Amino acid sequence: MTSQAEVVGLKVAKALSYVCRHRDELAELLDEDDASLRAVEAAVGSPAEDDGSLTPLLDALHAAVRCAGDPSGVYGDTGRSVMPAGVADLNVVYRCPLQLCIGRSGHEVDDVPHCRFALADPALIRERLP
């Protein structure tokens, strides 16, 4: 049985993965009103006690993105999976170096993806699944 904390953790990880992958598009969409995006980035950059502390910030970003014209926001489900990266691909996955998000499956990337939340902008960790 999945606990409420696991559900919240997966929701946060999924949203962070989306924000990491689409950060530039989100900043452009939000234009000058990107305070909610900057708040999420700042919170991810500092140690948090739990995933629940990011939920209100992601909720605010979700609302801002929807208000700016993206009906799916950061929690949207169109083309996004709640399954961890690699479950559908079962070949190559890219894991988050900070262990914050669900990462990406190999078929989601054209080049080596980088973590947008880490200070040094490290590459996601490539892993071939058995």
Side-chain angles (χ1 to χ4, degrees):
M1 178 172 252
T2 305
S3 73
Q4 181 66 23
E6 290 172 325
V7 170
V8 169
L10 184 57
K11 181 180 177 182
V12 166
K14 177 184 162 194
L16 287 175
S17 181
Y18 182 79
V19 172
C20 179
R21 183 172 184 195
H22 298 281
R23 192 259 176 237
D24 292 339
E25 292 99 349
L26 292 172
E28 185 176 324
L29 177 69
L30 295 171
D31 195 30
E32 298 297 318
D33 189 26
D34 67 347
S36 56
L37 178 59
R38 286 182 282 130
V40 168
E41 291 174 331
V44 170
S46 61
E49 295 185 18
D50 58 46
D51 289 335
S53 64
L54 289 172
T55 301
L57 298 174
L58 285 167
D59 289 346
L61 178 58
H62 176 73
V65 169
R66 290 193 65 193
C67 186
D70 180 350
S72 297
V74 298
Y75 294 130
D77 57 358
T78 304
R80 304 177 203 165
S81 173
V82 296
M83 298 302 291
V87 171
D89 191 316
L90 295 183
N91 215 356
V92 172
V93 295
Y94 291 88
R95 293 185 295 112
C96 176
L98 301 178
Q99 298 179 355
L100 291 171
C101 74
I102 61 172
R104 301 187 195 133
S105 65
H107 73 277
E108 291 179 300
V109 300
D110 295 327
D111 199 9
V112 178
H114 287 80
C115 178
R116 300 299 298 262
F117 297 117
L119 295 176
D121 194 31
L124 271 64
I125 301 164
R126 185 180 191 273
E127 183 176 291
R128 186 170 181 86
L129 298 175

